Structures are given as structure tokens and as C-alpha cells.
Amino acid sequence: MTAQTLYDKLWQSHLVHEERDGTALVYIDRHLVHEVTSPQAYAGLRLAGRKPWRVDSVVATADHNTPTKDWDKGIKDPISRLQVETLDANMKAFGAKVYFPFLDKRQGIVHVIGPEQGATLPGMTVVCGDSHTSTHGAFAALAFGIGTSEVEHVLATQCMVMKKSKAMQVIVEGRLGTGITAKDVALAIIGKIGSAGGTGYAIEFAGSTIRGLSMEGRMTLCNMAIEAGARTGMVAADDTTFEYVRGRPFAPTGALWDKAVAHWRTLKSDDGAKFDTVVSLRADEIKPQVTWGTNPQMVTTVDGKVPDPAQARDPVQREWMERALKYMDLKPNTPITEIRLDKIFIGSCTNSRIEDLRLAAEVVKGKHVAANVKLAMVVPGSGLVKTQAEKEGLDQIFTAAGFEWREPGCSMCLGMNEDQLSPGERCASTSNRNFEGRQGAGGRTHLVSPAMAAAAAIAGHFVDVRELA
Amino acid sequence: MEKFIRKEGLVAPLDRANVDTDAIIPKQFLKSIERTGFGPNLFDEWRYLDHGEPGMDCAKRPLNPDFVLNQDRFRGATVLLARENFGCGSSREHAPWALLQYGFQTVIAPGFADIFYNNSLKNGLLLIKLDPKIVERIFREVQTAPGYRVAVDLEAQTITTPGGESFAFEIDPFRKHCLLNGLDEIGLTLEHADKIAAFEAQHRGRQPWLFS
Ligand code: SF4
């Protein structure tokens, strides 16, 4: 038998049907649902008189629109409220394996709760009407974001219609320096291959650095695969994976667990498996990353400077950079550490897990947010992350340092609720997109790791976390 | 879905690379639970001078005169000409909905993001990928020739410029078939319902933990 990639294996084991031209029906094991991209899909089902194929594949939560404070007052914005209530109604009418509505203790960002509940398992195909579904690939799962028509399609047929992508392997070897996190690795990769570099590919992250990452770190990395253009990113399963999954509410137990693990051990690329493209990075060359523009590819290192568009050879590129700098109100050649910040956001499906909060807390412990920072907030990824953090006293560290400690949700990652940047405000954010207006119309976003965001909060401008240690 | 056969229309040039889905339709409009009504908010932050919120009467909002779609010569355009990596970002299908509901039927660019590409074709918005050099040429021609229209022939997989030049484009045969016939993909997949059920039973036997 020829050597297979992890992607080949996951694809093969879910292939229901394939046309001669390669158009395939791929079986979906887990369907994560949230309030923003599902209402029109359920409306479509109703309209066509169709029923969900397998209700117990659905795990749902409300996360994008939910407020992060004053939960007792409910959802103020009537349009947001209607969207969340529509999900409540659809869950009632159509059902799910489990639904964590607004106010539930286990509610949270869909990509945080899936793994946390053991609802994301190795070897699964996972879809969600959200591009950051790639996160779940950290479990050696085949996971992709889908649009609303596809949500409806999966609900009705339990399958996706797709063609196999090309395979890319991103190898990172060596030890990461102190203060360097998975987020920096992700941004460094995007900086290297570009935000369209992974278009048309399924990416497998491999190498000793990746094997050394915790599950939280692997999730951060796979989460950002979409920012490199790849609809799916994945990491081979190993003991780190199994230890994370063990004992979670929906994880198998007893004899079934042993059987599952035996299978999961095969979820890796065979030696000699062929990839269409291979990209390599060295861990010891990765420094703390900071984005300076309006696309995650516009990234540099904390000891670097804002680039000069005049140096760009390609006119389209130059124009793009000029526009970005104008929007970001930055001058070429400004040292990154001179960029002053108005707001700090620690949260999002990229960096709101317990490990992220521990890292940030360690940086801010015993210090205080700088006077020029108007708001520094920590938004845990889920109710359970929040509870765990409080058990460890992290909330105390944050509030003592002047951070606001909020309820879980997507929050200022995209500001569908009240948590937004005002026009012109500049934010160090642990989220994944720095597009124009992403965090609020006219807002300016710099993507960084939780440690870097925490350090920037204390200093009031970007600083190299490595110098704090 | 409407059938897409041969269409001919005015071209509007959006000369920006990496146009993301947040720019195509900003988040506040994603709160809608409807499938329609997104056209007036296409490119909202670029198109209007004020900040848009759902429920506003867009006819009364101040237009940004510098934005290309607000220029008289591009009114009624049905073909959008764009730069590389168009549609990058989120999976929101509201992006193709907004483009279609504004009146676009085709987008031409050197490249598109994967999820956006799928979402668009599922809704009957044809995305045409052309060589960057050809796109550059069309950009130049559109700028200099008012009333520049192209003919899009999906059957023949060509676009033809006013100068009579034709460029071939690639499209997946299955997607083409669906577009040409306005087919409902769910209905097509359900023709394989027996096969799906049989697969599911085997899959459950092989990996029972996925179903527990
Ligand atoms: S945290 Fe941000 S990127 Fe993640 S699911 Fe929510 S809105 Fe999307």
C-alpha cells in the first residue's frame, strides 16, 4: 500500500461516493451550530419539508451575539436577541445532541466548547458555519468552515459535496524560545506563505515543535490555518491528544475508549507520504509577532518596524500596503514598540483557553494596566474556562491589574455584541483577523499572542515579552 | 437558484487586493435571520460616509463619491472586476448574497478564497478566475472605455470583451452543471440517500465511539 497522509486517511474513511471527476460526498460526524449562520439553513429545511439526517451529530451554542457582561439583563439589542431566540426555537423544533444556550454554564465559543466537551474527537469530520472550524483539526480531525447553504446541506444529508484538496505540510522543527507561543508560530507561517498561500490546500502541521505543543497550542495553530487561506489544518494524534480527550463528557469510556485509542494511533501521515507542497520553519528563528496592517499576512516581529510600501516592487502590493497603513494610521519605519494602544482584548476562539489565560495572567501579575489604555478585557472562551480560571485565581490577578473580567463569548473578536472598538481606536488583540472594521468600524487591530497582549496592556505600547522574563 | 447561461453586462472595477468578507458585508448585517435584503449594505463601510446599522433606510444615507460603485458610469454593473484573493475571511454566505442582491452576477479576479468560492457558486454567483495579466488588462480597458461590457458564456466557458477578444476560464464540471440547470444540491445528494445510509451503518460499526 502506498504511504498515505493524515488527510488521505481522514478523507478515505469518510468517503461515501465519488464521481469520476472527483466530486465526492463526504460523511460528516460532527456538526457544530451557532446562531449567526444557521437561521437561514433551518428556514430552508422547513421550506423544503426536510428533516435533519442525524440530530445527534449536532452540538450547538449561542456565542457571537451574546453580551459579556450584565447577563442578568439579557441581550439588549433586539436584532441580536431575535437571532439567539431563533436558535433556541430551532433547537426546540429540530433537536441536537446537546445545546448550550445563552446563560448556560457550559456556553461559550463554539470552537472552544466542542473540544472541551469531548464532542470533537480524533478521526472525525467536523463542520460548522464558521471559517475557524479548522481549529478542530488539532485533534487529527478533518474540520472545515462552511457557508449557510452547506449547513443546510449537512443538516439534510449528513454529507458535504466537495473535491479533495491538495496537501501541504508545514514543518516546524526545534524548540520555541521563552515567551514564544503557538500564536507566534501561526503568524510566522502566515507571514511566510501569505494569506492566500494555503488556498486550495489542506495543511498538516508537523515537526518536533508541533509535537511539543499542548492541545491548546495546536488548536491556536489550526485555528489560524484559514488565515493562511487553507480551509482545513490538522495535526497528527498522539498521547497529548488522548490525554486531553480522556474523561471529557462525550469522550468514549471503558473498552470503547481502548478501541478508539488503538484506532487514533493510526491517525498520522505514514513515513514517505507525499505532499504537494512542503514548507519548513525553524522554531528558534520565530520571534514574537505583531501585525501592522489589515490582513494577517501583514505581520512582522516585535523588534521590527512598520514596512515601507515604497520598497514593494509589485504595484498592486504597494497600493495594498499604502491603503493598510493609511487605515492603520501608521508611518513606514515606525518601530513596532512605539505603537501605543487604546484597548486590549484577550479572547476569541484563537486564544481564550485556560492556557492562554494562564500565560497572560503570569505577565500581568502584580502590575497594572497603563494609563493610556482605556479598556483591557479578558473574555474566557467558555463558561467552563471561566470557572477553571476563577478556581486558579486568575480573575483576581486580572482585575487587580485593571483588566475587566467578562462572561464568555466571541466578544470583540468581531464585535457583533456591544464589545467594539470606536473609530480610530487601536487594539492589541489575541483574535485572528485584523481586517478593516473587524472589531468595530474604523477600529485598528494588531494581532498578537496572549502574552504579548498582556505585556502591551501593562506598558501601554508593544513590548517584547522576552525582555520581561 | 436561477439558471446561469449566457449573460452580458457592465463591468465595475474594484481595484483592491485581498477584499475580505468583513468588507463585503460588515458584521452588523449578519444579525439578520433572513436570506435577502443584503444588497443595500454591500461594501457598506466603503460605500457610505456614515456608519451603517441594520434597519437604516440606505436611500437616505450619504454616499461616498469616491467609491467606484457610486460613480454614475458603473451604475447597473453586473460584473465585478477584482484583484487577487477576493472573498478571503469568514464563511458568511451573506457575502455572495449581498453581491447577488446588489445585482452582480459574475465576479472576475485572479483568485478567490475557497469557502467564498463554494458559497458563491451554490448561490448562482459565477466566479471567474483569470490570469493576473489578463485581469490587469481588463482593468486598464475598463478605466479607459466608458460603458465597458463583457459577455459571459458559461456553456462555452468564455468571456468576451467589447474588443471581441475571448478568454477561456475553468470551472468544475459538476458546479457548471448545477449552475446551468439551477439545480438544488440537496436534492441531488439525496438521490444517494441509500448509499449514505449504508455508509453510515458501516462507519458506525467501524468507529462506534463517533456515535455514542
Ligand atoms: S471568536 Fe471570532 S473567529 Fe472565533 S468563532 Fe467567534 S467570531 Fe468567529
Side-chain angles (χ1 to χ4, degrees):
Chain A
M1 214 174 73
T2 48
Q4 286 186 306
T5 62
L6 171 58
Y7 177 53
D8 291 333
K9 292 179 185 180
L10 293 169
W11 177 269
Q12 209 64 50
S13 61
H14 290 86
L15 195 60
V16 174
H17 173 77
E18 194 170 14
E19 300 283 344
R20 221 171 292 150
D21 72 348
T23 304
L25 279 183
V26 176
Y27 187 83
I28 301 305
D29 297 312
R30 177 67 66 230
H31 189 177
L32 302 165
V33 169
H34 64 86
E35 79 276 20
V36 181
T37 51
S38 66
Q40 295 90 347
Y42 281 109
L45 277 191
R46 253 193 213 100
L47 210 63
R50 289 176 175 135
K51 282 203 171 64
W53 181 282
R54 184 157 76 84
V55 167
D56 69 2
S57 68
V58 174
V59 170
T61 193
D63 54 2
H64 285 63
N65 279 280
T66 53
T68 57
K69 60 178 179 184
D70 304 330
W71 268 17
D72 50 326
K73 298 202 182 98
I75 303 173
K76 257 185 275 157
D77 176 0
I79 313 178
S80 288
R81 193 170 58 233
L82 177 63
Q83 201 166 52
V84 172
E85 287 170 355
T86 304
L87 180 61
D88 292 338
N90 283 330
M91 285 300 114
K92 219 173 187 177
F94 291 96
K97 181 184 184 72
V98 62
Y99 173 43
F100 304 120
F102 174 49
L103 301 180
D104 190 287
K105 272 196 171 52
R106 296 159 300 171
Q107 176 267 356
I109 305 173
V110 67
H111 307 310
V112 175
I113 63 160
E116 181 175 83
Q117 293 293 330
T120 302
L121 294 175
M124 269 186 168
T125 43
V126 181
V127 297
C128 174
D130 186 282
S131 58
H132 292 96
T133 310
S134 57
T135 309
H136 307 265
F139 291 83
L142 186 57
F144 4 67
I146 58 179
T148 297
S149 295
E150 290 174 308
V151 170
E152 186 182 337
H153 190 278
V154 174
L155 283 171
T157 71
Q158 211 58 40
C159 290
M160 285 267 295
V161 178
M162 59 197 315
K163 274 190 168 177
K164 203 171 171 196
S165 306
K166 289 178 284 182
M168 180 188 287
Q169 189 182 34
V170 176
I171 305 174
V172 192
E173 292 287 356
R175 272 179 73 106
L176 290 171
T178 17
I180 313 295
T181 67
K183 181 66 163 287
D184 301 298
V185 178
L187 287 168
I189 292 169
I190 296 163
K192 185 170 171 123
I193 70 174
S195 60
T199 304
Y201 287 96
I203 297 182
E204 180 180 344
F205 299 100
S208 59
T209 314
I210 310 300
R211 284 198 299 279
L213 289 176
S214 65
M215 285 315 292
E216 281 88 348
R218 294 177 190 181
M219 283 189 256
T220 300
L221 190 61
C222 290
N223 174 278
M224 298 287 285
I226 184 67
E227 307 311 328
R231 202 174 177 186
T232 189
M234 65 197 86
V235 175
D238 59 12
D239 288 329
T240 306
T241 322
F242 313 144
E243 282 320 306
Y244 180 96
V245 175
R246 187 196 296 275
R248 302 216 169 240
F250 297 111
T253 51
L256 204 54
W257 168 262
D258 297 333
K259 228 178 129 190
V261 171
H263 173 70
W264 294 345
R265 291 206 185 275
T266 66
L267 297 175
K268 55 180 183 194
S269 290
D270 298 330
D271 290 337
K274 292 261 176 307
F275 290 85
D276 299 283
T277 305
V278 178
V279 177
S280 298
L281 277 86
R282 277 185 42 200
D284 58 1
E285 287 177 353
I286 299 174
K287 298 177 183 174
Q289 307 278 312
V290 182
T291 65
W292 51 266
T294 53
N295 179 291
Q297 170 189 340
M298 294 171 147
V299 66
T300 186
T301 53
V302 67
D303 54 2
K305 289 179 176 162
V306 174
D308 187 351
Q311 305 291 322
R313 256 179 272 146
D314 173 43
V316 175
Q317 185 79 12
R318 189 180 319 131
E319 208 267 339
W320 184 44
M321 289 171 72
E322 278 165 357
R323 275 188 55 84
L325 289 189
K326 190 167 164 227
Y327 182 86
M328 294 296 289
D329 190 30
L330 288 174
K331 300 224 159 30
N333 300 315
T334 306
I336 295 296
T337 50
E338 281 178 18
I339 299 174
R340 294 171 69 79
L341 297 149
D342 305 307
K343 286 187 174 164
I344 309 293
F345 172 61
I346 297 177
S348 90
C349 58
T350 315
N351 283 129
S352 63
R353 297 180 184 83
I354 189 69
E355 182 179 284
D356 301 313
L357 305 190
R358 285 181 193 139
L359 272 175
E362 202 175 305
V363 173
V364 304
K365 192 170 190 171
K367 306 199 178 85
H368 203 275
V369 170
N372 62 300
V373 172
K374 288 183 249 176
L375 170 72
M377 63 196 282
V378 184
V379 183
S382 71
L384 296 184
V385 169
K386 185 171 186 243
T387 311
Q388 177 62 29
E390 287 172 354
K391 228 198 264 166
E392 297 177 19
L394 304 185
D395 58 323
Q396 302 293 331
I397 297 176
F398 284 119
T399 47
F403 278 83
E404 291 192 14
W405 178 249
R406 296 287 187 92
E407 303 291 347
C410 293
S411 180
M412 212 200 274
C413 172
L414 94 166
M416 274 187 82
N417 64 1
E418 311 53 47
D419 307 338
Q420 295 185 7
L421 296 182
S422 301
E425 278 181 343
R426 189 180 295 285
C427 179
S429 176
T430 66
S431 56
N432 40 53
R433 288 194 176 132
N434 50 351
F435 297 154
E436 284 186 23
R438 170 80 179 180
Q439 295 191 287
R444 300 176 176 129
T445 304
H446 296 271
L447 303 176
V448 287
S449 73
M452 283 288 289
I458 304 303
H461 55 86
F462 286 115
V463 284
D464 192 336
V465 283
R466 294 171 302 176
E467 285 162 17
L468 300 183
Chain B
M1 191 167 87
E2 202 195 325
K3 292 185 187 182
F4 193 115
I5 303 179
R6 204 165 300 143
K7 291 186 177 170
E8 185 278 332
L10 185 70
V11 181
L14 183 65
D15 198 355
R16 300 175 189 209
N18 300 294
V19 170
D20 57 69
T21 49
D22 283 81
I24 297 172
I25 182 88
K27 57 185 163 267
Q28 60 270 34
F29 305 107
L30 272 48
K31 295 181 188 180
S32 167
I33 56 168
E34 310 291 333
R35 232 175 227 272
T36 54
F38 299 101
N41 301 109
L42 174 70
F43 299 123
D44 198 273
E45 282 185 27
W46 293 342
R47 198 160 138 203
Y48 301 98
L49 292 171
D50 63 347
H51 173 70
E53 282 295 332
M56 283 168 85
D57 180 359
C58 291
K60 296 199 178 117
R61 295 173 57 198
L63 292 174
N64 171 7
D66 295 333
F67 185 58
V68 59
L69 297 185
N70 291 332
Q71 294 166 15
D72 278 341
R73 58 183 282 205
F74 298 120
R75 261 184 226 287
T78 58
V79 179
L80 186 67
L81 183 66
R83 295 289 187 184
E84 68 203 31
N85 200 22
F86 186 84
C88 60
S90 86
S91 65
R92 60 188 72 166
E93 202 154 313
H94 314 69
W97 292 339
L99 285 158
L100 279 164
Q101 288 159 19
Y102 176 89
F104 287 115
Q105 299 167 334
T106 309
V107 185
I108 301 172
F112 300 94
D114 284 344
I115 304 181
F116 175 76
Y117 187 86
N118 280 311
N119 285 345
S120 296
L121 266 64
K122 280 188 201 299
N123 286 276
L125 179 68
L126 178 61
L127 304 187
I128 297 180
K129 191 174 156 178
L130 290 179
D131 185 87
K133 285 198 201 85
I134 298 174
V135 172
E136 175 60 33
R137 234 177 62 213
I138 304 177
F139 261 105
R140 258 182 282 144
E141 290 179 8
V142 172
Q143 295 298 357
T144 50
Y148 189 97
R149 302 170 78 84
V150 294
V152 180
D153 186 337
L154 177 58
E155 185 80 66
Q157 295 181 217
T158 56
I159 73 157
T160 310
T161 68
E165 258 185 308
S166 270
F167 301 108
F169 62 86
E170 296 281 318
I171 181 164
D172 178 88
F174 174 70
R175 297 265 179 250
K176 178 177 170 179
H177 176 72
C178 288
L179 276 171
L180 283 174
N181 299 293
L183 290 180
D184 164 16
E185 223 174 72
I186 295 180
L188 282 178
T189 299
L190 286 176
E191 286 175 13
H192 298 286
D194 290 348
K195 233 177 155 175
I196 301 171
F199 175 89
E200 190 170 58
Q202 286 171 4
H203 191 51
R204 190 190 290 264
R206 281 188 298 254
Q207 298 187 53
W209 53 86
L210 296 180
F211 294 80
S212 57

